[in-house]
Amino acid sequence: MPIAKVNGVETEFEPGMTVLQVAERAGHEIPRFCYHERLSIAGNCRMCLVEVKPGPPKPQASCALPAAEGQEIFTDTPMVKKAREGVMEFLLINHPLDCPICDQGGECDLQDQAMGYGRDGSRYAENKRAVEDKYMGPTIKTFMTRCIQCTRCVRFVSEVAGVPDIGMISRGEDAEITTYLESAVGSELSGNVNDLCPVGALTHRPWQFHYRPWELKKTETVDVMDALGSNISAQSKGAEIMRILPRVHEGINEEWLSDKSRYVVDGLQARRLDRPYVRENGKLRVASWDEALSAIATHLKAAPAKRVGVIAGDLQDAESMKAALDLFQALGSANIDCRQDGSALGYGPREGWVFNTGLQGIEDADSILLVGVNPRTEAPLLNQRIRKSWLAGKTRIALIGDAADLTYDYDVVGRGTRTIAKLPKAAMDALTGAERPAIIIGTGALTGSDGPAVLAALGKLAAKAGVVKPGWNGFNILHHAAARVGGLDMGFVPATGGLSAHEMVQPGALDVLFLLGADEIETGPSKAFKVYLGSHGDRGAHTADVILPGAAWTEKSGLYVNTEGRVQMAERAVFPKGEAKEDWAILRALSERVGHTLPYDTLDQLRGRLMADHPTFGRIDYRAPAESFDVAALGRKGELGDVAFVPAVTDPYLNNPIARASATMAELSALRMAPVLLAAE
């Protein structure tokens, strides 16, 4: 490896690194505003100036200067210090003195660097310039007078998000960052520009003037708004979650976060269930825990085992599903299901229902076939990874299903099941001729009565195309529900003779139906005695006869398994609201009333039982390496028919109870639907 000297100390570096990267590898922090590791180099701010020999006798921008063998780099000479102080003085010429009212105060790069390189006064006597604030949508609040034209936001939306809605107009003193005709940024990743802005010109509109950063308690946890399991920091003040920010996890979300995951926090406070309810004479009334549990126990004891069933929702933690599974199996019921969408998954090897390539590994695929999925709405950060691979020019992408703007080019090769039966030659050749081919299947393609046959046909297609082979497994199921893989891993599916979720809600199918946070399935036709355990008064609670208030995901510690099969632990950030309890504890109390007491009294004991019965849950943050399996044996043979695939998620901002309670999600949904409504008119 080449060697350079940094402040007199020899440092090895990899070819292609910049002077800034070499200096930081040597342990010397270089101030910067425009440079970011995941964006292209702009060289705008000039704050990263260093002295380099051999070279001209003047400071040079280290972010844009390639490192070379034998270079001498100086980061703290008088020349460097004077140059940085000069740059800082220029940056502060027009910057307003509004730190006391700025949301960025306390975590502002400009504040931090001004402490080290700022002067105690200014030599600039002219009036400061003022720039009119711009509208950029419901997630971005602008204070454009603060802007220093670092262009981080411009580069992010064009390079990472793939929606070039932000740009710079004019030159010199008149330069401004704006959107086209001041329209909203049309990206599901728009909130990341607020994190990237180093000076507070772009801040989080939903949270403006709500908190100071030093007032917040930070809890490291995981996101459940989709099935990726993005690593997040839930930051609370008192009993309220004030904001959610991303944490770095290279294997999952890098350092980005989708708008839904970031801004759904207001939904955690609204429409909450904070006490039990019992329905009498068609109306719900407040009840005690004893009343509610006794009413449920009475009906469970009176009903035959085959007339009792449980459906788990999309946001459930593994512990609550394990407690429900143990309880209803003890009651003798085979009517157990976690697949509200009715997808044909849960039988056969585990590789048949996970994202085998891994989220990071999909960047290595050189040919991708998307089947019945819209990754931009179902998993925005996965879509960003596919775009990154496409930008590198090494991936060819094809789609079976509805065409949509995915931020990269692809070929539409068909609409539905008929295409799977006979894939066009060009698409088949792209898969068979690729070194690392991949198929990404959305759960929308696997629902309905023909779901098992579609899965079988896709398995045969994958086997024929060589998608699964030694050292590479490109067969991927993309889930949209955070609880789904965990439920499938523990066998939360109908046993022999049991009813599926859609069969359970049919008239006359059951006498007692237990809804464990299940809100995405229509239960109105069912005449059963319905029990709803959940955190929000949403669809599942509307028709329930007994409502039990549970904890939201930020109010309990729980295990979640993401779409690639990685087990992660969510931590409690705040306590449950009112009389609400953790879901597993409610089920444990109910088990005593029905005479089948569950064999655990604490969360640790429950996890011990879960990990003993299903060892995969004991490997936290571990993704099993890709293994070959008999992909052709998946599903069940049958007639495919002629059915067009529809993505599982039509409106990503309103597809769970927390999101539907959020005012910000309602704004984002309306903004997303506006072009559709205009086109219809």
Side-chain angles (χ1 to χ4, degrees), residues 579-635:
E579 298 178 29
K581 311 289 183 185
E582 294 184 24
D583 299 3
W584 76 268
I586 297 171
L587 291 163
R588 170 64 175 78
L590 178 61
S591 70
E592 290 186 11
R593 304 294 183 105
V594 297
H596 294 279
T597 304
L598 295 174
Y600 29 80
D601 299 323
T602 66
L603 183 60
D604 286 341
Q605 292 175 355
L606 169 53
R607 283 181 177 157
R609 175 69 177 265
L610 172 64
M611 294 172 186
D613 293 347
H614 310 283
T616 56
F617 286 93
R619 296 177 289 185
I620 306 298
D621 200 29
Y622 171 78
R623 190 185 74 81
E627 293 185 3
S628 298
F629 73 109
D630 187 6
V631 66
L634 292 175

Side-chain angles (χ1 to χ4, degrees), residues 1 27 216 261 291 299 377 422 508 516:
M1 294 177 67
L216 303 181
S261 301
E291 270 186 291
H299 283 82
T377 58
K422 187 173 178 58
L516 182 61

